[in-house]
């Protein structure tokens, strides 16, 4: 009986780069070009039936010297089959871009805005990519490892 | 003898009376943002009643209130809003910094938090605590009332 | 001969209204920009981020245990659920099983937190509709539970109670009776509130058929928790992937039908009752902790024992038992076996050991100082917990050192706010208030 991430590799062997199963969390690393196709597949296929996109986030691998630097992480869940899957996509540092999943799961709209705000990763096909957590004139992407934690911001009013 | 900046008996009594009236009729504007809001709610409700001090009616409009309770962390995105609300309030007005995030920033020493609202607006009473117990809040309120009583009233 | 009056053609355009960041709905700060045509909302936009306090970046600065106070302030009306979720994620990284008694304690405290969350939500949303009495009653009930939490953890709101491997201190003596009293009082208040609100004409008219969301939309937006259950989908993390000891308890999951505000109100009221049932069952089935401290000889305070030992007066100490300060009550060495795992690389030693012998001191040093500390294996985990608003997930990436590499919170009310325009478009402007109240948006969780 194949597990979920192994079934994905069996169906798309050239697009799935790595598999692991640390502590029972089935994870597959896929190629960025294949993201939309695979996302459509896991939503429609009856064995996967992933109707909920639980979480969309990113990890900056600068301190661990990852190459490519960023990794966008997707968590999927199926209410009917009660199983989970994690997909990861590796993106490089110069103009990082990934396709947007807003057409398939509308909640990706806000999650992708947050990843753009915090990491600077662009999403192609996103209707309105603007900052969501920081104020609009903010410059920089805070969750990157090279952004200092206690950086002071210019304020209106007296000096900070 | 050196008295209240040269005011006589009559004007100082008027001052005291107005101070007495103002301190027992506080209309607060609760600018609630974060976790301290829960302790603010607890202080305002029946267990640790704040109504017995005359401060029980929150007015949710800055034009109708005189004490601005800044409750909870202020981030850089919210700072212009706070300044605007302070400017909209009419004199006499007082500001209470409720919770340590408004006093000095708390343990949020990061890129997104204002390190104390006294960088933006003048503050009268600081109530530290994360969150302060309701008894602390009542103590702060009593100190504010003493301050209102003693200050030179403008009218 | 009648002449029909000419109706002057007036030009209408829609009006943009800003329900600003600081507004009387005491739920937190959110800005809703609504475009109105008369009284109907044509389109709306939601702007968040006013309480961004950089939780995820702060978690990367210190050790694993230093993140726990930051997690308290995420969902500040039910802080214990956040603590428990984070510690469960780290324990999954280690592959660690905690003791039975610690699991039961965590379940009891989580359910009490869930009740306080729902009390606050219903109280505040009823107050905005004008029922101020309900708010006062709910906060009174919440005070009973806060006293209970204070007896166990020492603080009312920001408790930092759980540790990786267990909890900080055991339940005090007499907790069972106090808890049952508090539950009884809460049940009385809930019954009164039920009589006040559930069949109240005004309340029902304002909440029924308002803020409707369909099942497909709710799933497409990733909404979970009482929100999703009010649309008819029976998904609860405690049933789907049981964690701690939830699979031993008998509780029901209330599921609604219409997906409107009234169903959400009913779901929350019923969930409070079910949570109290779980607490009663847990109190009944909890494995026993040590009741009597068996002491041989005299009991002297541990600090004094350490002082005397430093001065070399060791003969007088034989046969004495060290006792910790009353402020650390529940953390005695005898209780420790019941509430913390005995893995020395993960759990802090009991205070008597830290103060009185060198192995305990070195153990404590190795766990606390910068550069040392607990070191999970390299890897990543995602652990979902049932928060009061839905699925609260913690995604932790560890690189083998003592600082977390990345901690991500999956916020349940973030996705609900993303779906807010769907719920208010097409309805009246005054319907924003009950809809927003029933969402139970907590700023600390949404903006982190």
């Amino acid at each position: 009986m194949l597990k979920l991430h192994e079934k994905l590799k069996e169906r798309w062997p050239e697009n799935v780069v790595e598999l692991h199963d640390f502590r029972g969390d089935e994870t597959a690393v896929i190629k960025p070009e294949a993201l939309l196709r695979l996302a459509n597949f896991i939503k429609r296929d009856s064995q996967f039936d992933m109707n909920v996109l639980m979480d969309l986030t990113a990890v900056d691998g600068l301190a661990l010297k990852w190459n490519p630097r960023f990794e966008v992480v997707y968590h999927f869940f199926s209410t009917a089959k009660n199983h989970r899957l994690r997909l990861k996509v590796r993106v490089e540092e110069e103009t990082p871009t990934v396709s947007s999943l807003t057409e398939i799961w509308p909640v990706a709209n806000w999650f992708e805005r947050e990843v753009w705000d915090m990491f600077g990763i662009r999403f192609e096909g996103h209707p309105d990519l603007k900052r969501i957590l920081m104020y609009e004139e903010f410059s920089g992407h805070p969750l990157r490892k090279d952004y200092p934690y206690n950086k002071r911001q210019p304020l209106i009013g007296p000096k900070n | 003898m050196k008295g209240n900046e040269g005011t006589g008996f009559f004007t100082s009594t008027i001052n005291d009376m107005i101070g007495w009236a103002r301190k027992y009729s506080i209309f607060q504007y609760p600018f609630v943002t974060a976790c301290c809001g829960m302790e603010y709610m607890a202080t305002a409700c029946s267990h640790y009643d704040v109504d017995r001090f005359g401060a029980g009616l929150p007015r949710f409009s800055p034009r109708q209130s005189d004490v601005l309770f800044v409750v909870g962390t202020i981030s850089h995105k919210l700072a212009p809003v706070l300044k605007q609300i302070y400017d909209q309030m009419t004199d006499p007005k007082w500001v209470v910094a409720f919770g340590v995030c408004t006093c000095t920033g708390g343990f949020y020493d990061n890129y997104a938090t204002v390190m104390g609202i006294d960088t933006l607006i003048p503050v009268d009473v600081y109530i530290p605590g994360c969150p302060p117990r309701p008894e602390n809040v009542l103590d702060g309120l009593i100190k504010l009332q003493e301050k209102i009583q003693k200050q030179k009233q403008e009218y | 001969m009648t002449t029909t009056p000419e109706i002057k053609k007036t030009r209408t355009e829609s009006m943009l209204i800003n329900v600003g960041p600081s507004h009387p709905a005491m739920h937190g700060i959110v800005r809703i920009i609504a475009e109105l045509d008369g009284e109907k909302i044509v389109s709306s936009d939601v702007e968040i981020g006013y309480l961004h306090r950089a939780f995820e970046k702060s978690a990367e600065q210190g050790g694993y245990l230093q993140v726990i106070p930051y997690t308290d302030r995420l969902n500040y009306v039910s802080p214990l659920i956040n603590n428990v979720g984070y510690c469960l994620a780290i324990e999954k990284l280690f592959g660690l099983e905690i003791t039975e008694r610690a699991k039961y304690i965590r379940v009891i405290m989580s359910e009490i937190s869930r009740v306080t969350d729902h009390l606050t939500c219903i109280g505040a949303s009823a107050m905005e509709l004008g029922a101020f009495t309900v708010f006062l009653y709910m906060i009174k009930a919440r005070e009973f539970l806060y006293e209970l939490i204070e007896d166990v953890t020492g603080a009312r709101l920001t408790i930092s109670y759980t540790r990786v491997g267990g909890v900080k201190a055991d339940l005090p003596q007499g907790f069972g009776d106090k808890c049952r009293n508090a539950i009884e009082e809460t049940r009385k208040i809930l019954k009164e509130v039920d009589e006040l609100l559930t069949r109240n004409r005004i309340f029902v008219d304002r909440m029924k058929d308002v803020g409707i969301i369909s099942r497909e939309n709710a799933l497409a937006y990733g909404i979970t928790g009482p929100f999703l259950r009010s649309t008819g989908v029976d998904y609860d993390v405690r049933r789907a992937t049981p964690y701690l000891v939830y699979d031993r308890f008998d509780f029901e999951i209330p599921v609604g039908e219409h997906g409107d505000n009234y169903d959400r109100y009913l779901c929350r009221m019923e969930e409070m009752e079910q949570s109290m049932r779980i607490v009663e069952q847990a109190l009944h089935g909890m494995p026993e902790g040590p009741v009597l401290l068996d002491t041989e000889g005299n009991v002297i305070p541990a600090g004094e024992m350490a002082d005397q030992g430093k001065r070399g007066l060791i003969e007088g100490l034989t046969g004495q038992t060290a006792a910790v300060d009353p402020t650390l009550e529940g953390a005695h060495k005898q209780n420790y076996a019941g509430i913390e795992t005995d893995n020395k690389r993960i759990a802090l030693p009991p205070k008597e050991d830290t103060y009185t012998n060198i192995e305990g001191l070195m153990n404590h040093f190795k766990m606390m100082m910068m550069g040392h500390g607990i070191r999970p294996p390299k890897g990543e985990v995602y652990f979902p917990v049932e928060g009061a608003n839905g699925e609260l997930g913690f995604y932790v990436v560890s690189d083998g050192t003592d600082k977390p590499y990345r901690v991500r919170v999956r916020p349940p009310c973030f996705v609900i706010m993303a779906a807010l325009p769907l719920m208010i478009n097409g309805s009246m402007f005054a319907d924003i208030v009950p809809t927003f109240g029933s969402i139970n948006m907590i700023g600390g969780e949404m903006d982190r």
Side-chain angles (χ1 to χ4, degrees):
Chain A
M1 236 337 253
L2 282 182
K3 289 207 190 144
L4 215 56
H5 57 316
E6 288 162 358
K7 281 190 203 155
L8 196 69
K9 171 106 186 171
E10 190 189 46
R11 174 76 177 78
W12 304 89
E14 70 285 356
N15 283 329
V16 175
V17 172
E18 247 181 69
L19 288 181
H20 78 76
D21 192 7
F22 185 68
R23 304 279 183 242
D25 284 348
E26 295 155 16
T27 312
V29 183
I30 62 178
K31 291 198 184 140
E33 310 83 55
L35 177 62
L36 264 183
R37 234 178 313 144
L38 251 66
N40 267 313
F41 170 68
I42 57 178
K43 178 148 193 211
R44 306 222 160 105
D45 184 73
S46 56
Q47 276 189 328
F48 286 81
D49 199 12
M50 299 289 184
N51 50 354
V52 178
L53 170 64
M54 270 304 181
D55 195 15
L56 204 174
T57 180
V59 184
D60 180 2
L62 184 68
L64 295 177
K65 303 199 179 21
W66 283 356
N67 188 13
R69 176 176 172 186
F70 295 110
E71 208 171 65
V72 183
V73 182
Y74 299 83
H75 285 92
F76 296 104
F77 176 70
S78 161
T79 47
K81 305 262 180 342
N82 195 12
H83 54 213
R84 293 174 192 267
L85 178 67
R86 184 189 299 145
L87 289 184
K88 300 210 279 190
V89 173
R90 298 199 172 127
V91 207
E92 82 281 355
E93 184 171 345
E94 304 293 322
T95 63
T97 318
V98 180
S99 7
S100 163
L101 295 184
T102 322
E103 301 285 315
I104 317 176
W105 291 280
V107 70
N109 191 327
W110 274 31
F111 279 135
E112 287 168 358
R113 274 175 69 185
E114 189 192 332
V115 173
W116 157 246
D117 192 1
M118 294 281 125
F119 287 95
I121 299 177
R122 287 205 151 268
F123 288 87
E124 258 179 73
H126 191 279
D128 188 18
L129 199 66
K130 55 183 183 188
R131 288 191 182 268
I132 190 170
L133 291 179
M134 303 304 301
Y135 55 91
E136 272 182 44
E137 301 85 8
F138 189 82
S139 66
H141 297 284
L143 270 177
R144 290 191 174 190
K145 291 285 178 183
D146 44 5
Y147 193 92
Y149 173 60
N150 16 22
K151 185 164 176 162
R152 295 288 179 246
Q153 308 297 335
L155 254 194
I156 59 148
K159 59 185 176 301
N160 188 6
Chain B
M1 69 180 194
K2 276 217 166 88
N4 295 327
E5 297 115 298
T7 53
F9 169 74
F10 186 61
T11 41
S12 70
T13 316
I14 295 268
N15 208 36
D16 286 343
M17 269 173 47
I18 294 181
W20 175 88
R22 277 185 181 155
K23 83 174 182 185
Y24 282 136
S25 70
I26 290 182
F27 288 99
Q28 0 151 356
Y29 183 89
F31 190 87
V32 171
T33 49
C35 0
C36 281
M38 299 299 115
E39 290 295 14
Y40 174 76
M41 278 199 234
T43 317
C45 288
S46 35
H47 214 89
Y48 301 95
D49 196 5
V50 91
D51 201 2
R52 43 192 171 137
F53 296 92
L57 286 180
R59 298 282 111 205
F60 291 108
S61 156
R63 305 272 184 209
Q64 296 173 4
S65 52
D66 42 15
V67 177
L68 176 66
F69 272 79
V70 187
V71 182
T73 323
I74 302 291
S75 65
H76 283 272
K77 196 166 180 180
L78 194 58
V81 176
L82 176 64
K83 185 91 174 71
Q84 197 175 12
I85 290 193
Y86 178 74
D87 288 339
Q88 280 181 344
M89 283 169 71
T90 53
D91 276 335
K93 56 188 175 189
W94 296 273
V95 175
V96 173
F98 188 127
V100 75
C101 287
T102 50
C103 298
T104 51
F107 67 170
Y108 290 111
D109 185 11
N110 53 32
Y111 56 85
T113 312
V114 172
M115 294 281 128
I117 59 169
D118 46 10
T119 53
L120 298 168
I121 54 183
V123 174
D124 291 297
V125 175
Y126 296 85
I127 306 181
C130 192
R133 276 195 67 103
E135 289 94 345
N136 263 350
V137 176
L138 295 176
D139 187 34
L141 187 65
I142 293 175
K143 286 191 163 60
L144 177 69
Q145 285 181 333
E146 283 170 12
K147 181 168 185 176
I148 295 178
Q149 170 82 71
K150 286 202 202 108
Q151 73 179 44
K152 181 170 187 317
Q153 311 291 344
E154 313 276 337
Y155 51 89
Chain C
M1 201 158 96
T2 52
T3 51
T4 50
E6 292 262 333
I7 301 174
K8 265 202 298 200
K9 288 257 179 267
T10 48
R11 190 179 60 113
T12 55
E13 55 186 51
S14 50
M15 176 166 73
L16 217 59
I17 277 217
N18 189 13
V19 184
S22 165
H23 55 74
M26 288 211 244
H27 288 282
I29 31 186
V30 140
R31 185 169 161 224
I32 302 176
I33 305 161
E35 192 182 330
L36 299 178
D37 172 28
E39 193 71 23
K40 269 196 173 330
I41 300 179
V42 170
S43 72
S44 58
D45 191 19
V46 179
E47 194 178 320
I48 64 168
Y50 289 98
L51 193 57
H52 181 63
R53 295 186 284 193
F55 165 74
E56 299 179 359
K57 190 109 181 153
S58 313
E60 299 169 9
Q61 307 301 317
Y64 281 89
L65 288 176
Q66 292 185 12
V67 178
I68 296 178
Y70 288 108
T71 61
D72 280 340
R73 281 127 176 113
L74 280 176
N75 183 342
Y76 38 79
V77 262
S78 57
L80 276 145
I81 301 184
N82 311 332
N83 270 356
V84 164
Y86 175 73
C87 286
L88 282 171
I90 308 290
E91 284 156 18
K92 185 173 171 181
L93 253 187
F94 274 107
L96 186 71
E97 272 293 312
I98 60 176
T99 61
E100 284 289 305
R101 191 170 165 86
K103 285 186 188 166
Y104 274 85
I105 295 179
R106 280 184 180 178
V107 165
I108 293 176
M109 302 309 285
S110 291
E111 293 306 314
I112 294 179
S113 277
R114 196 187 310 278
V115 175
T116 58
D117 194 308
H118 289 327
L119 284 173
T120 315
C121 170
I122 294 181
S125 70
M127 177 176 78
E128 284 150 27
L129 296 180
F132 193 62
T133 316
V134 171
F135 182 64
L136 292 176
Y137 285 0
M138 294 296 205
I139 302 293
K140 179 172 96 158
R142 198 180 74 167
E143 288 293 328
F144 291 128
L145 297 174
Y146 272 179
E147 277 174 20
L148 208 59
I149 294 181
E150 196 180 11
D151 271 339
V152 179
T153 67
R156 287 154 57 97
L157 197 68
T158 50
I159 55 323
S160 310
Y161 181 54
T162 55
R163 301 280 182 267
V164 176
V167 290
K168 166 195 159 224
D170 205 343
L171 302 175
Q173 301 284 357
F175 176 77
D177 293 325
K178 269 191 255 183
C179 194
R180 287 185 192 104
N181 274 345
I183 288 181
E184 210 181 285
E185 297 287 332
T186 311
R187 279 204 174 116
K188 275 192 232 166
I189 292 180
L190 281 181
K191 187 158 167 305
E192 278 178 13
V193 169
D194 195 32
E195 284 166 13
L196 274 177
L197 284 185
T198 311
R199 289 168 36 160
N200 185 331
R201 186 79 242 157
I202 299 178
F203 188 74
V204 170
D205 272 347
R206 280 208 75 174
M207 298 279 264
K208 229 178 178 17
D209 293 329
V210 168
I212 300 184
I213 190 167
S214 67
R215 193 187 296 203
E216 294 75 30
N217 274 337
L219 285 174
Y221 272 85
I223 299 179
T224 48
F227 220 83
L228 182 67
R229 295 197 275 277
S230 74
T231 63
V233 178
D234 182 9
Y235 171 60
D236 187 329
V237 185
R238 297 174 287 178
R239 271 282 150 77
T241 43
Y243 53 97
L244 296 175
V245 283
Y246 278 108
D247 40 3
R248 295 185 204 174
F249 298 129
D250 169 37
F251 62 100
E252 286 162 21
I253 301 188
V255 174
E257 282 176 24
H258 307 284
D260 58 2
N261 289 339
Y262 192 62
D263 275 2
R264 292 193 270 275
Y265 157 77
L266 289 174
C267 273
R268 289 203 168 103
M269 292 290 273
E270 190 53 41
E271 263 185 38
M272 281 199 268
E273 177 58 43
Q274 297 300 320
S275 286
M276 292 195 277
R277 265 180 76 188
I278 294 180
V279 173
E280 285 173 341
Q281 290 174 44
L283 282 175
H284 187 71
M286 192 152 65
E288 280 303 313
V291 177
L292 286 177
L293 301 166
D294 49 348
T295 57
E296 335 150 338
N298 290 331
V299 173
I300 74 168
E304 214 178 286
M305 186 193 240
D307 279 338
Q308 287 189 12
K310 279 185 230 164
R311 277 184 262 136
L313 310 164
I314 308 181
E315 299 82 25
L317 294 179
T318 47
Q320 309 255 24
T321 325
V324 292
D325 198 273
T327 52
L328 289 177
E329 189 173 312
H332 300 279
K333 199 164 159 178
Q334 287 88 341
N335 293 41
Y336 232 66
I339 58 172
E340 273 270 11
T341 171
D342 52 0
N343 186 334
K344 283 209 178 350
R345 291 188 194 280
I346 299 176
L348 284 172
K351 288 290 181 220
E352 288 104 323
D353 276 348
T354 314
Y355 288 136
T356 54
N357 63 39
I358 192 67
E359 290 87 16
L361 182 65
M362 289 199 304
N363 196 359
H364 193 102
F365 181 87
K366 278 295 230 189
M367 298 273 306
M368 277 310 202
M369 296 302 284
M370 300 291 277
H372 304 272
I374 66 177
R375 285 159 193 266
K378 275 195 198 176
E380 54 193 5
V381 285
Y382 176 77
F383 197 94
V385 170
E386 178 74 16
N389 278 337
E391 171 171 324
L392 176 70
F394 280 88
Y395 172 63
V396 181
V397 177
S398 144
D399 58 347
T401 61
D402 62 320
K403 294 195 182 140
Y405 193 70
R406 171 98 171 95
V407 175
R408 153 90 181 164
V409 178
R410 188 257 173 198
C413 48
F414 186 80
V415 294
I416 302 180
M417 289 304 280
L420 180 65
L422 288 179
M423 289 188 267
I424 59 178
N425 283 354
S427 59
M428 307 273 189
F429 188 66
D431 290 335
I432 293 185
V433 172
T435 310
F436 189 65
S438 77
I439 287 179
N440 194 22
M441 183 210 87
I442 308 285
E445 184 177 63
M446 191 171 75
D447 298 332
R448 283 151 281 132

